[in-house]
Amino acid sequence: MRKKYARKRMSSSSSIAYRLANYAVPFDVNEIIHLLDLHAKETSSTFTSPSSTSTSHALPLSKSKLQKQLQLHASNEHMFSILAIQNQSGACVGVQNCFVSFSALECRPVLEVLETYVLPSLRGTMMEVEEH
């Protein structure tokens, strides 16, 4: 197992591991849904008009719609998700949804990152990353 360190080194109990999500495992599916729901709420609040006097609240994403989206991911061999897991607690703290496509100009596969979400409390902390 190789370790990478970023600018600020955190304690080993604060390290992050990452792995491919398995869409057939309910834990992975539920964590992806939870993180994408948080992402949607945060994103919708970011796009609230500053001149608006009304308070806007983001609606949670439909769990059935997200489950259907993940079923489509699972049925497409070119789509995958990566989970970031905090080693100390075992909690999922981030998700990245990716798609492998093909560049006709470069005549090779390319990785498209569709979305990335990390819990706000961990952004910029530069935690230790363990590769598996």
Side-chain angles (χ1 to χ4, degrees):
M1 184 181 324
R2 202 174 81 209
K3 293 184 180 181
K4 290 184 180 178
Y5 299 97
R7 286 180 283 164
K8 283 193 293 184
R9 185 174 174 193
M10 305 295 278
S11 69
S12 61
S13 63
S14 299
S15 63
I16 299 289
Y18 58 92
R19 65 171 174 81
L20 286 176
N22 183 340
Y23 301 125
V25 175
F27 174 82
D28 288 7
V29 170
N30 289 333
E31 289 301 306
I32 293 169
I33 288 172
H34 173 69
L35 291 167
L36 291 179
D37 186 48
L38 291 174
H39 178 50
K41 289 176 182 176
E42 186 176 318
T43 303
S44 66
S45 67
T46 302
F47 292 111
T48 303
S49 170
S51 61
S52 174
T53 56
S54 64
T55 305
S56 174
H57 298 288
L59 297 174
L61 292 174
S62 159
K63 188 171 181 176
S64 62
K65 189 176 278 190
L66 282 170
Q67 286 174 329
K68 183 173 181 165
Q69 178 185 357
L70 293 178
Q71 288 172 348
L72 291 171
H73 277 237
S75 66
N76 185 332
E77 65 186 39
H78 300 289
M79 298 186 86
F80 61 93
S81 297
I82 299 169
L83 292 173
I85 302 160
Q86 191 170 33
N87 287 333
Q88 182 178 14
S89 65
C92 289
V93 296
V95 64
Q96 189 168 55
N97 291 319
C98 305
F99 183 79
V100 178
S101 64
F102 187 80
S103 170
L105 295 174
E106 296 181 23
C107 295
R108 64 183 178 100
V110 293
L111 177 66
E112 294 183 36
V113 177
L114 303 175
E115 56 199 341
T116 299
Y117 180 76
V118 175
L119 293 177
S121 61
L122 294 177
R123 294 179 195 159
T125 59
M126 305 305 221
M127 301 179 103
E128 180 180 307
V129 176
E130 294 185 6
E131 293 185 55
H132 294 279

